[in-house]
Amino acid sequence: MNITRKDVDANNAVLKINIEKNDYDEMVEKQLRDYRKKAQIPGFRPGMVPVGLLKKMYGKSIMAEQINELLNKAITNYIKENKIKMLGDLLPSEKQEENNFETQDNFEFSFDMGIAPDIKIEFSKKDEVLYYEIEIDEKTIDNGVKSYTSRFGKSETVDSYIDGAILKGDLHELDADGKMVENNGIVVENATISSKYTLKNDAMAQKLFDGKKIGESVVFNPQKTIGNEQEISYLLNISKDEAKNITADFQFLIKEIIAFTDAEINQELFDKAFGDSAIKSEEEFRDKIRENIKIGYMQDTDYKLNIDIKDFLMKKNENLTFPEEFLKRWLKTQKEMLTDEEIGIEYPKLLKSITWQLIQNQIVEDNKIEITDEEIEEEARKIGRAQFIQYGIYNIGNEVIDKYVNDMLKKVDYVQQIANRIIEDKVVAAVRTHINIENKKISLADFNKFFEN
């Protein structure tokens, strides 16, 4: 067997593999002998079928299988031994002459190969990327405090409506004269209404409950005050299609008023929020909230830095050359239904992905970056805690995090995502040591504008 490589240009090459009869003949004979042991052909006892007959019946197909296996191993070893940085997969050469397994003993296979451009990453302290630090103002801290006082507050039944209260009562459909519809009218017992949310589309209707007491009634029109078919159907216990046709007014008889009272800012709240005696004053409470908000913001600012460093590296390598025709052919083998027009749309995305992967691989190689199982587990733990914080749960126990991590690490795709994330973070960290990172304070509103489009 002989393998030769002919470079067409810096990004394209042709790989030719010549396979002769003596390369595969012994493999075919062995396969035939193995098959003879288990072949069941009428008229012959098991293991006694003549090899010649088997060769006549299956020899060519077995030969094709063995040549294909030999070919794949040879190509894999050649690429590995010669450290070829190949793009995509080998494609049968467009000038490949057809091989005939029925008539030939010797074969020549020709493949087109896409070669990755050489990447050279160079930095200096003149290279600068901004790191945005989101400012945490007192209003943000106040909102954090409000979140805790609301979460650990209590509900109680009151006699008169106060802002934000939940009302329970009976709903009755009214006719054009404002009287309850006796027959076939919609009646919902123990319905629940929040004037702030249920009637959110009508500011005037929200005020209908002001000062109302248990036993009193309010009349409103669901179509006008709610306006959402899904919410109307839920409130009136009817289908969405029926909700579309609701035009009548409804009377709501108040049977219960439930008001929510925020928790007081005291030691009891501190203990519930962060554990016994972990926080001992309102000042420490606000500082802890600030710290947790900062942790949450850091996830976003680090993400933004990763994007900006990635863009910085891509710009540094914007003049790389690629085998465009080859890659478009290869892209079509991956997504066979794509038209030429769609290929033209997908190609720039593919090029961007390949460029970043090449850059990242080169930085990994240059800086000898590796990851461990312990790092993957620790990253999963950080992700878990960050997700709980997003839900406002800051004081999460280790046993909950352990279960979360164990469950998530059973998913292969999730582990790969974490590994990719760690590699990218390490690449960014390596780049940060070579360039100038300039800190810049920014408001949350201005920071969010980066992600509006």
Side-chain angles (χ1 to χ4, degrees), residues 87 310 314 322 324 327-328 330-331 335 338 341-358:
L87 297 175
K310 184 175 179 178
M314 293 285 284
F322 290 89
E324 180 175 343
L327 286 174
K328 286 182 176 179
W330 176 77
L331 184 58
K335 301 180 179 181
L338 288 182
E341 183 179 354
E342 290 169 331
I343 290 288
I345 295 171
E346 289 293 321
Y347 179 69
K349 300 176 186 176
L350 173 66
L351 209 59
K352 187 175 181 180
S353 174
I354 290 174
T355 302
W356 171 241
Q357 193 61 55
L358 291 172

Side-chain angles (χ1 to χ4, degrees), residues 148 151 273-274 289 292-293 385 388-389 392-396:
Y148 278 103
R151 187 180 317 121
F274 296 107
I289 290 173
N292 287 332
I293 292 173
R385 288 195 182 280
F388 282 112
I389 287 174
I393 305 172
Y394 297 101
N395 191 33
I396 191 71

Side-chain angles (χ1 to χ4, degrees), residues 52 90 305 349 377-378 416:
L90 292 179
L305 179 63
K349 300 176 186 176
E377 183 176 332
E378 181 57 30
Q416 187 59 54

Side-chain angles (χ1 to χ4, degrees), residues 41 51-52 139 225 264 419:
I41 296 178
V51 174
K139 182 178 179 182
T225 58
E264 293 184 17

Side-chain angles (χ1 to χ4, degrees), residues 260-301:
F260 294 90
T261 306
D262 287 348
E264 293 184 17
I265 302 175
N266 54 26
Q267 191 62 48
E268 182 181 359
L269 173 62
F270 305 154
D271 291 346
K272 286 180 178 178
F274 296 107
D276 292 347
S277 300
I279 302 294
K280 297 181 180 179
S281 68
E282 184 174 351
E283 183 180 359
E284 289 182 9
F285 183 54
R286 294 178 69 85
D287 285 344
K288 186 65 176 177
I289 290 173
R290 182 188 299 276
E291 178 187 332
N292 287 332
I293 292 173
K294 187 176 182 179
I295 291 172
Y297 283 172
M298 283 178 64
Q299 299 282 334
D300 298 328
T301 53

Side-chain angles (χ1 to χ4, degrees), residues 400-411:
V400 177
I401 291 295
D402 289 342
K403 185 179 185 307
Y404 171 87
V405 170
N406 290 335
D407 289 344
M408 296 309 291
L409 292 183
K410 293 175 183 176
K411 302 176 181 179

Side-chain angles (χ1 to χ4, degrees), residues 21 39 95 155 169 184 186 207 215 226 267 355 365 379 404 407 413 426 431 436 441 443:
K21 190 174 188 296
K95 297 179 181 180
S155 61
N184 300 321
I186 297 174
K207 295 180 180 180
I226 300 175
Q267 191 62 48
T355 302
E365 183 179 327
E379 183 65 20
Y404 171 87
D407 289 344
D413 289 346
K426 287 193 173 190
V431 174
N436 183 32
K441 291 186 179 296
S443 69

Side-chain angles (χ1 to χ4, degrees), residues 132-143:
Y132 295 97
E133 183 180 344
I134 301 174
E135 296 179 301
I136 303 173
D137 56 25
E138 291 305 308
K139 182 178 179 182
T140 303
I141 304 299
D142 291 340
N143 290 337

